[in-house]
Structure formats: C-alpha cells, structure tokens
Amino acid sequence: MRYTLGIILLMLYTLTAYAEQSTEIEEPNHSAGEVRLPREVYNTMLKEAEKAIEISQEEVISHAYGKVHLIINVLEENDKMTGHVEARIPVSTYTDTWTSIPLLDSDTALTLVSINQQAAQLANIDGKFVWQTNIKGEYVIDLSYVVDSIVKNGKVILEIPVPNSTSTLLEASIPGLQLNATLSNAVGITSSEFYDHTQIKAYISPGKIPKLSWKLPTEESNYSISRAIYKGKSDGNSIVWEADILVELFTESEMLLPL
C-alpha cells in the first residue's frame, strides 16, 4: 500500500511540473511585443533595410547651381586673339556636412577666384576644380580665366570652358566689324555691331562647350569707303581735282589705304 501511494504522489508531481512548463510555452508574453523569426527571414529583412538607407542617402541633394553668366572680352595680345572670361556662378548648399562643388576642368587657366567677393582657393579633385564647404547657404562664385585662340581655315576659334550649371548666359565682345562671327553648341544666338566691336549673345545648355569663331581680319575688312565727293577746277591747261572721302576704320592698328 505504501508503494502504491508513493507512485501516485510521484505521478501527481510530474503532471504538475509539466502543466507549468506547457503554460509558459503556449502563452507568450504578447504585451512585450515579442516576435520570433527564422534567421534567414531576419537576415533578408536586414539587408533590405540597409539597401533602403543607402538609396535614401544617395537621393539627398547637397547643393544646386543657379544660372551662370559668362562675359568674354576678346583682346589682341602679341599678335594673337585671347579671350578673357568672367564667370559668375550662383550656388546653394543644403547641408552642414562637407560638400564638394565641381566648377571647371582643372586644365583651365584661372587668374582669379572669389566666393561672395572674398578671395578663395579651389581643390583639384579628379580633373576638376572643386570648392568645398560645410556651411549651408547662398554663395556667388566669381572666376576669371584666359583662353587662347587657334587659327584654322582662315578663322579665329575660341573654345570656351563653361562652369557646371543648369543654364548659362554667354555674352562675347570681339574687336572689329563684318566678322561673320558664329557660336556653336548654343541656342538663342543674337549678333549685333556696336561702335567698333561685334557683340554675340546666346544660351549654353549644360555639358556643352561653345566654340566662338570669326574670320581673320584683312585690309579690305578693316576699312570702308562710304562716300567720296570730287570737285574739278580748270586753271587753263589742266584740271585740278579735289576729293572729300569718308572712310570708316574698323581697327586701331596703323594701316595704308589704297585710294
């Protein structure tokens, strides 16, 4: 009888322990928000989240360019035409982290750099002149540089580096008249003559390199006889002629005029 009672008590204790263990497994703590996932599913979800973060970081805009204004004055120096370029570049930065702003190819012959009318320095990174800042705000970058001309097929050609921008307004002034000046890789081109210079105005699309060209000056194109008045007087055996000739000169260089 004692053995039977002991076995019954042992069975009751075992059943009670099993019931407590089963209760812990079947009733998870929902109030704590506990979720269990297979490791493969967890790793897949983690990779997708990291990829989404990388894409969102790439889409953040750190800076933007405004419309660039290029003014080109062509001068004759040492018997060669040279383009003196003034570029004004509005830039907005949107973050206080370090931002690199590419401006021009690093083979450009810069003569002056200023940011908001203060002298500044540019870095040479991957073949580009770059300005760096970690302060968000509005800036005006002024660059001055020189472009040498080449002569080809009777024409003077200037290939003009253009700073990074969304749009560029180009204005050029070339000494001389009746030059048949042209500008490639540009739209909205207008040409006019003022005093002794030819003026070109146009817009340049992003990524385009404009080429300004005009014909080489000759003696015939450097002057024009617009009016001549002749008067003759007889002095007996001969006639003496007087002439008033109106001549327009298109160059400051000294020259001989055949009359």
Side-chain angles (χ1 to χ4, degrees):
M1 187 69 178
R2 291 178 180 178
Y3 293 112
T4 304
L5 181 61
I7 292 171
I8 292 173
L9 290 174
L10 179 61
M11 290 175 64
L12 288 173
Y13 176 78
T14 303
L15 288 171
T16 301
Y18 177 78
E20 292 176 355
Q21 183 179 3
S22 300
T23 301
E24 292 176 0
I25 294 174
E26 293 176 358
E27 297 181 4
N29 187 5
H30 294 291
S31 62
E34 181 178 322
V35 177
R36 297 184 181 183
L37 295 172
R39 184 177 295 276
E40 292 182 1
V41 175
Y42 172 77
N43 289 338
T44 301
M45 294 177 65
L46 183 61
K47 289 180 180 178
E48 293 295 329
E50 291 174 347
K51 187 184 297 183
I53 292 173
E54 290 177 358
I55 293 174
S56 64
Q57 288 177 344
E58 290 176 357
E59 293 177 349
V60 172
I61 299 174
S62 61
H63 66 281
Y65 302 95
K67 183 173 73 174
V68 170
H69 190 188
L70 281 187
I71 298 177
I72 305 164
N73 287 307
V74 179
L75 303 176
E76 186 174 356
E77 299 173 334
N78 300 322
D79 297 325
K80 187 176 184 179
M81 293 294 185
T82 303
H84 293 260
V85 185
E86 305 289 333
R88 172 155 288 190
I89 313 163
V91 173
S92 300
T93 58
Y94 305 125
T95 176
D96 287 326
T97 58
W98 280 105
T99 302
S100 295
I101 302 171
L103 297 172
L104 272 173
D105 290 341
S106 58
D107 58 357
T108 307
L110 287 175
T111 58
L112 180 68
V113 179
S114 68
I115 313 292
N116 289 349
Q117 298 183 344
Q118 299 293 323
Q121 303 292 327
L122 303 180
N124 186 344
I125 301 176
D126 296 331
K128 285 278 189 180
F129 282 131
V130 175
W131 180 57
Q132 294 182 316
T133 182
N134 63 344
I135 302 173
K136 64 180 178 181
E138 304 290 328
Y139 300 92
V140 176
I141 303 174
D142 289 305
L143 304 177
S144 298
Y145 47 99
V146 178
V147 181
D148 282 336
S149 66
I150 62 172
V151 177
K152 186 176 181 181
N153 298 329
K155 285 191 173 183
V156 182
I157 301 173
L158 281 178
E159 190 170 299
I160 305 160
V162 176
N164 287 19
S165 69
T166 54
S167 176
T168 299
L169 171 62
L170 181 150
E171 293 184 271
S173 179
I174 310 168
L177 303 176
Q178 302 177 6
L179 300 176
N180 294 330
T182 60
L183 184 64
S184 63
N185 294 329
V187 296
I189 303 171
T190 60
S191 176
S192 61
E193 294 181 346
F194 179 74
Y195 188 48
D196 58 351
H197 279 67
T198 297
Q199 313 265 352
I200 301 289
K201 185 176 180 180
Y203 287 92
I204 311 300
S205 301
K208 300 292 185 180
I209 300 177
K211 291 183 180 180
L212 181 62
S213 63
W214 62 96
K215 68 179 182 179
L216 283 170
T218 63
E219 282 196 357
E220 292 183 357
S221 64
N222 282 339
Y223 73 93
S224 174
I225 300 176
S226 58
R227 186 178 63 184
I229 300 175
Y230 297 92
K231 294 179 181 180
K233 293 181 182 180
S234 175
D235 63 354
N237 296 325
S238 62
I239 298 177
V240 178
W241 291 94
E242 293 181 359
D244 292 327
I245 302 173
L246 181 60
V247 179
E248 293 183 76
L249 298 179
F250 307 137
T251 178
E252 296 181 357
S253 302
E254 188 175 299
M255 61 183 301
L256 296 175
L257 301 179
L259 298 175

